[in-house]
């Protein structure tokens, strides 16, 4: 289920790093063709951003949200990012899925084989981790506080729902409006698991950061309110909290987990909570 964002919440206004070249606009929505015009008009209204109808009109922006017949894409610094869940289909095969560290970290003991435990992905980003969890049988509720990224995620879910290979999986993904730090404490019923990926801290050399994260960092910086995020997560009363961290990174907000599952590129810290 995909819930339309009727307006961008005040706490989620677009934040674009203005330090890139002193260009005239931080964000422009670009209607690249007639098919993309309705989505572009809606996005511009929601984001309070200028609407460009030609490439020349969009040229002064740090970041361009492009709407065309293929959906929404983010453009900037010579890069283009369009979320396409179809690229993840090889990872959704049962054999591969069982080996995913995130799926292992989120599993709960003592459940019936046909159970569909609930997960809240409180920092959803472009939804790839949520897709893995949904493919593993979890019912996933997603929050993404940045309105540009949330629109891109909503668009990716819409397109995936039309793909027979993905429709059944994304039917278990529910994108909700709002900031998870505000919404988590009031969730009813309480989720079984809350998952956090608060973006890894900046690395000293930008070349070490994947290209898509370079682009996303114009919109959303790594988490700077760790204590607030973790407190809201615990207030949701889940059975387990799973936090994605760099392999040698510190615990989120300095809180020691119950246990961790470690890989070469990532670590999942697991907090098992009484209910």
């Amino acid at each position: 289920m995909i819930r339309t964002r009727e307006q961008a919440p005040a706490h989620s206004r677009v934040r674009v790093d203005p330090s890139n070249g002193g260009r005239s606009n931080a964000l422009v929505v670009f209607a690249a063709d007639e098919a993309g015009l309705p989505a572009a008009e809606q996005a511009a209204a929601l984001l309070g951003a200028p609407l460009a109808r030609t490439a020349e009109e969009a040229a002064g922006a740090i970041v361009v949200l492009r709407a065309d017949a293929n959906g929404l894409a983010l453009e900037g610094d010579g890069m283009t990012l369009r979320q396409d869940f179809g690229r993840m289909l090889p990872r959704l095969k049962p054999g591969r899925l069982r080996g995913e560290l995130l799926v292992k970290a989120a599993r709960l003991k003592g459940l019936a084989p046909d159970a569909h435990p609930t997960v809240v992905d409180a920092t959803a980003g472009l939804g790839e981790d949520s897709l893995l969890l949904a493919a593993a049988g979890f019912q996933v509720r997603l929050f993404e506080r940045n309105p540009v990224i949330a629109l891109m995620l909503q668009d990716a879910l819409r397109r995936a729902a039309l793909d027979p290979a993905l429709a059944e999986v994304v039917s278990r993904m529910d994108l909700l409006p709002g900031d998870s730090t505000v919404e988590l404490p009031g969730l009813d019923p309480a989720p079984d698991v809350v998952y956090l990926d608060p973006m890894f801290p900046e690395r000293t050399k930008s070349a070490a950061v994947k290209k898509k994260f370079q682009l996303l960092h114009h919109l959303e910086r790594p988490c700077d309110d760790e204590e607030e995020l973790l407190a809201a997560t615990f207030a949701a009363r889940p059975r387990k909290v799973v936090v994605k961290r760099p392999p040698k990174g510190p615990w989120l907000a300095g809180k020691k987990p119950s246990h961790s599952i470690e890989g070469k590129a990532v670590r999942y810290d697991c907090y098992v909570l009484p209910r």
Side-chain angles (χ1 to χ4, degrees):
M1 178 180 178
I2 306 169
R3 303 188 186 183
T4 303
R5 288 168 170 255
E6 297 182 354
Q7 60 182 14
H11 57 263
S12 310
R13 295 301 181 197
V14 181
R15 301 178 182 91
V16 179
D17 186 348
S19 63
N20 192 347
R23 299 177 205 171
S24 58
N25 290 303
L27 173 73
V28 167
V29 180
F30 174 34
D33 54 30
E34 286 301 315
L37 182 57
E41 290 177 335
Q42 181 184 41
L46 288 171
L47 301 172
L51 175 64
R53 294 174 181 263
T54 68
E56 290 74 19
E57 291 176 357
I62 296 172
V63 177
V64 174
L65 183 63
R66 176 190 179 99
D68 57 31
N70 296 315
L72 297 179
L74 198 64
E75 298 179 340
D77 294 340
M79 296 177 283
T80 299
L81 173 62
R82 189 192 309 271
Q83 182 59 297
D84 177 8
F85 287 133
R87 291 194 293 261
M88 292 186 64
L89 281 171
R91 294 179 66 184
L92 305 187
K93 294 179 180 179
R96 286 281 302 274
L97 202 57
R98 285 193 293 270
E100 290 284 350
L101 296 183
L102 172 58
V103 173
K104 293 180 179 179
R107 282 179 184 146
L108 296 166
K109 296 180 179 179
L111 295 180
D114 59 346
H116 293 286
T118 58
V119 176
V120 170
D121 185 345
T123 51
L126 289 174
E128 293 184 359
D129 287 340
S130 284
L131 187 74
L132 291 175
L133 292 169
F138 290 90
Q139 295 284 347
V140 188
R141 288 177 281 178
L142 301 83
F143 288 99
E144 172 49 52
R145 69 179 180 179
N146 185 280
V148 179
I149 298 173
L151 282 173
M152 293 181 64
L153 174 56
Q154 178 178 292
D155 177 67
L157 289 169
R158 176 189 61 79
R159 288 182 280 111
L162 302 175
D163 184 341
L166 290 165
E168 192 267 338
V169 173
V170 299
S171 71
R172 291 194 289 273
M173 298 170 66
D174 187 6
L175 177 59
L176 304 175
D179 185 332
S180 60
T181 58
V182 175
E183 305 296 335
L184 277 168
L187 290 180
D188 186 24
D192 293 304
V193 179
V194 175
Y195 172 59
L196 304 176
D197 176 8
M199 296 181 71
F200 295 168
E202 292 267 21
R203 301 179 187 179
T204 55
K205 296 182 179 180
S206 61
V209 183
K210 291 182 179 180
K211 285 187 176 181
K212 75 173 183 178
F213 291 113
Q214 293 178 32
L215 189 49
L216 291 177
H217 280 175
H218 282 303
L219 300 175
E220 191 165 60
R221 314 303 291 176
C223 179
D224 58 2
D225 54 356
E226 295 182 354
E227 291 81 5
E228 181 184 5
L229 178 60
L230 201 59
T233 297
F234 288 161
R237 310 175 314 283
R239 295 173 60 180
K240 179 187 281 190
V241 175
V242 177
V243 183
K244 187 176 186 178
R245 302 300 291 159
K248 297 182 180 180
W251 301 320
L252 188 68
K255 187 170 181 60
K256 183 178 180 180
S258 305
H259 64 274
S260 298
I261 296 178
E262 299 186 20
K264 292 182 179 180
V266 69
R267 185 185 81 232
Y268 293 100
D269 291 340
C270 303
Y271 302 81
V272 180
L273 308 177
R275 287 185 69 175

